[in-house]
Amino acid sequence: MTSLSSPSLRLNGLPTDILILILHELLLVDLSALSLTSRFFHALVNEFGWAGYQRKNPRPSMSLLKSRAAWSAMDSVKYDVLADRSWSQNDFVARPLASPWSGKEQPILAISPSRLIVGAGNVIYSYTFGLSTNGEAPPIVMEGSCALITLHDRRSCITALTFIPDGGLDQTLCVGFQDGSFERILISSRSKHQTNTTLHVHRQAAHPLRLPDKDFLESLSSSRTSLLSLSGSGQATFSDIETPTLTSTIVLGVRSWASRLCMESTSPYAAFGTSLRATPLTIHSITSDALSQFPSAILGQAQPGRRGSAYQDGTMEQSLSTISALPLGVAPPTTGYRPLLRPVLTLDNSWSMEPIYSVSSGGGSGSYVAAGWARHSLVSMWDVRSPIGGLSVHAPLNDPSPVYSLILESSRLFGVTQSRPFVLDFGPGVLESTYPALEPSTRGFPGVTAENTIFRGSTQKGVDDIGYYVTKFLHPSSRTKVRA
Amino acid sequence: MVLLVTSDNEQFQTEKDIVERSVLIKNMLEDVGESDQPIPLPNVSSSVLKKVTQPSTGPTEIDVRGRYLSTASTTVESPSRPPILEQSQDETRKRTTDISEWDQKFITVDQEMLFEIILAANYLDIKSLLCRRWLQDGSQHDQGARPPEEIRKLFNIVNDFTPEEEAQIKKENEWAEDR
């Protein structure tokens, strides 16, 4: 390489806009090396390099969103890189987020950039996301709880929960009850002087669903200003949040489990997961504020015979969460044409024969899928880039329960069992104060004492006694590879 | 074939799919339609255009994360070695099989030419030529970035850090080291 000394041939002699374009093509190590060459490049990388890298390597995460706004682009990239590294090393802090509830609940989770909400029985529990600096993990603080109905009646249990848009305040929820009634809940911000844990809410009954006897509300999903509800027997109702009387209802006519609404897409759609073996997951397009009666696409099972009925719900849920990866926009929304889409990937942990109750995607590099199983509070996580491996973890304190609901973010997995919510945090900078302190409890897990609450075995992070002990095992294929 | 005319008035008959790597020319062709008219490129000299459009040897797809290409298949098999710390959004996209000799020759043009190519790539809107290989060690594709000292030497960058500043930034950037 000829070395020319004319100043015009210096790299910083190139127009800055071109240098910025080049920055956007660089890898982490390049950015780091370049920022070490001179003040000019240090400034350029700090100003444009990290931000560009972050845009090209997004790590969506509700609980980090507000903190990220305060972090520099480099701090944000650093957090993501360290979290990704922990994912690849199966390294995390496990924490229960609450002491166990007195009864067995079938709770659900909802998340917004400000709050994590747990709906269990007839109570909602709210956690807020704090801001953090200096490389610490953004804290999660128990805000309080509130019983929505004093009488604990099965028909008045919360069975569906979703945030609805309120201009970024993140305090408005739509809560659905088993009997098909809805409430709009407005959470009042806590005053600084409040010491108790009562959550103050403003409740407003919303237009209820007319469900037949024995039917019940199974799922609720919102997108932009629309709401989609699904009953156990397969009655799907699409409505506008502001004018809830204008609805569009279709009847799927099968046992239905899960729904997802997407209005952001160029061709808005609703997806439904059902027990019907031939068509476990259907996509219905939404045109002129009405659900189409017939699916525009059907996601089939890989090998219908192989997985068997025990897997059926799981497969559906699983497909439902990965649905956004499919090219839905190109499916022609004509009623006659219904392409049957086969899964491109099937995940299992080859040990658990139970159904899957919950599923979510995200995680390290945005390439993980997490599934909550029907028993032993077991959660499996797979990296879709190496799907034959993966990791299964029993939630902290090992509740003998299904994992009813999961939310996977870039660095955190929120989950909930019949007894309590929990978190697995793969991000850096987790401190004792990051999560709510809990009363020592032995319920359901005799022998939990200070001695066996060890964790995050690796000393690399320099943390100890922050997480709870959890049983984790690598899926068989990963273990073989580890030995090899 | 498309007829291109450079700033020094040389004419080039070039394959359409090669010139269409340039978004500028592609758009031009779409606007003009089929035509025998030469396309003037007043900002590109003939020597640079030759470099940019070398037909048969040019890479059809330049993967800026090329250094992982050789390990891609093993990472799928072996989750214990984390698949790549560089998480492009697009890990699954089709990858070329190797970094071609072409690339290596390409980067060993002299620096004046290299800058001209970068400028031309910007003008012609050829994204693939504005890529990280300018900083990569051409002889060792798997070794990641060149050390800062080498980048300085290569591009005549004057180190204006004090030793303390340099040590400080090195420490701040430790997390970004490839592991």
Side-chain angles (χ1 to χ4, degrees), chain A residues 241-289:
Chain A
I241 288 170
E242 298 309 322
T243 46
T245 45
L246 293 175
T247 59
S248 155
T249 297
I250 61 170
V251 176
L252 302 172
V254 282
R255 176 71 176 97
S256 300
W257 299 90
S259 66
R260 173 153 309 177
L261 181 63
C262 178
M263 301 302 287
E264 283 88 4
S265 163
T266 45
S267 45
Y269 63 87
F272 302 106
T274 68
S275 280
L276 206 60
R277 189 177 274 208
T279 60
L281 199 151
T282 56
I283 312 292
H284 294 248
S285 55
I286 295 164
T287 40
S288 346
D289 294 332

Side-chain angles (χ1 to χ4, degrees), chain A residues 4 9 30 36 57 365, chain B residues 87 111 115 132 152 156 165:
Chain A
L4 297 170
L9 292 178
D30 307 325
L36 271 162
N57 297 274
S365 312
Chain B
Q87 306 78 5
Q111 204 184 327
F115 283 5
R132 74 172 292 253
R152 280 188 208 120
N156 291 313
E165 281 174 334

Side-chain angles (χ1 to χ4, degrees), chain B residues 12 15 29 33 68 78 96-97 104 107 151:
Chain B
F12 287 82
E15 300 274 357
L29 289 174
Y68 294 114
S78 156
T96 47
T97 47
Q104 290 205 28
I107 197 166
I151 300 176

Side-chain angles (χ1 to χ4, degrees), chain A residues 177-206:
Chain A
F177 299 88
Q178 188 165 0
D179 61 6
S181 58
F182 291 107
E183 277 187 28
R184 179 189 286 228
I185 303 283
L186 188 72
I187 300 170
S188 314
S189 299
R190 267 177 96 81
S191 78
K192 285 214 167 80
H193 311 293
Q194 192 183 337
T195 48
N196 62 18
T197 56
T198 310
L199 190 67
H200 293 287
V201 299
H202 174 75
R203 298 166 59 178
Q204 182 190 350

Side-chain angles (χ1 to χ4, degrees), chain A residues 18 22 65 81 85 96 104 139 164 178-179 221 271 284 297 322 330 360 368 401 453 472 482:
Chain A
I18 295 185
I22 295 176
L65 210 61
V81 166
R85 219 166 265 167
K104 292 181 183 179
I164 52 181
Q178 188 165 0
D179 61 6
S221 159
H284 294 248
T322 52
V330 300
S360 188
Y368 281 75
S401 156
T453 45
K472 58 182 179 184
V482 169

Side-chain angles (χ1 to χ4, degrees), chain A residues 1-2 4 9-10 18 25 27 30 35-39 53 56-57 59 85 88 365 481, chain B residues 67 77 82 86-87 89 107 110-111 115 122 130 132 145 152 156 160-161 165 173 175 177 179:
Chain A
M1 182 85 54
T2 329
L4 297 170
L9 292 178
R10 292 185 177 169
I18 295 185
E25 297 293 332
L27 301 179
D30 307 325
S35 71
L36 271 162
T37 56
S38 75
R39 288 183 179 176
Y53 185 87
K56 289 185 81 169
N57 297 274
R59 297 287 181 272
R85 219 166 265 167
S88 63
S365 312
K481 292 292 177 196
Chain B
R67 66 195 175 117
E77 294 299 315
E86 287 313 325
Q87 306 78 5
Q89 273 260 291
I107 197 166
D110 70 47
Q111 204 184 327
F115 283 5
N122 183 55
L130 285 172
R132 74 172 292 253
R152 280 188 208 120
N156 291 313
D160 51 2
F161 288 128
E165 281 174 334
N173 286 8
W175 59 272
E177 295 303 313
R179 275 194 258 170

Side-chain angles (χ1 to χ4, degrees), chain A residues 1-6 8-15 17-18 21-22 24-42 50 53 55-59 74-75 77-79 81-82 84-85 88-89 364-365 383 385-390 460 477-478 481-482, chain B residues 64-65 67-68 75-80 82-89 91-92 107-112 114-115 118-119 122 127 130-132 134-136 144-149 151-162 165-167 169-170 172-179:
Chain A
M1 182 85 54
T2 329
S3 185
L4 297 170
S5 50
S6 155
S8 69
L9 292 178
R10 292 185 177 169
L11 190 56
N12 49 13
L14 281 171
D17 54 339
I18 295 185
L21 281 176
I22 295 176
H24 290 172
E25 297 293 332
L26 297 185
L27 301 179
L28 208 58
V29 283
D30 307 325
L31 287 171
S32 169
L34 192 62
S35 71
L36 271 162
T37 56
S38 75
R39 288 183 179 176
F40 172 78
F41 284 105
H42 183 247
W50 302 119
Y53 185 87
R55 268 198 302 280
K56 289 185 81 169
N57 297 274
R59 297 287 181 272
M74 182 170 120
D75 284 342
V77 171
K78 180 178 175 182
Y79 181 95
V81 166
L82 295 177
D84 285 354
R85 219 166 265 167
S88 63
Q89 293 162 354
S365 312
D383 182 343
R385 298 168 301 180
S386 51
I388 56 166
Q460 167 213 351
S477 49
S478 333
K481 292 292 177 196
V482 169
Chain B
V64 294
R65 290 168 188 83
R67 66 195 175 117
Y68 294 114
T75 51
V76 170
E77 294 299 315
S78 156
S80 59
I84 307 164
L85 294 170
E86 287 313 325
Q87 306 78 5
S88 88
Q89 273 260 291
E91 285 294 340
T92 54
I107 197 166
T108 50
V109 295
D110 70 47
Q111 204 184 327
E112 183 170 13
L114 189 140
F115 283 5
I118 293 178
L119 289 167
N122 183 55
K127 278 273 164 3
L130 285 172
C131 76
R132 74 172 292 253
W134 308 120
L135 294 184
Q136 212 179 10
R146 292 172 189 268
E149 304 74 44
I151 300 176
R152 280 188 208 120
K153 214 165 126 196
L154 194 58
F155 296 108
N156 291 313
I157 297 168
V158 177
N159 180 4
D160 51 2
F161 288 128
T162 64
E165 281 174 334
E166 196 175 346
I169 296 167
K170 210 168 232 163
E172 278 169 13
N173 286 8
E174 247 168 17
W175 59 272
E177 295 303 313
D178 223 345
R179 275 194 258 170

Side-chain angles (χ1 to χ4, degrees), chain B residues 18-84:
Chain B
I18 288 171
V19 297
E20 284 193 340
R21 266 188 247 149
S22 157
V23 178
L24 178 87
I25 299 180
K26 188 165 182 280
N27 290 345
M28 243 186 233
L29 289 174
E30 275 168 11
D31 291 347
V32 175
E34 289 293 315
S35 157
D36 295 334
Q37 289 293 309
I39 295 180
L41 300 173
N43 290 357
V44 185
S45 71
S46 55
S47 52
V48 172
L49 188 67
K50 271 183 210 151
K51 285 282 180 191
V52 173
T53 60
Q54 282 170 3
S56 55
T57 46
T60 51
E61 181 190 3
I62 297 178
D63 191 323
V64 294
R65 290 168 188 83
R67 66 195 175 117
Y68 294 114
L69 298 180
S70 53
T71 57
S73 56
T74 52
T75 51
V76 170
E77 294 299 315
S78 156
S80 59
R81 279 178 52 204
I84 307 164

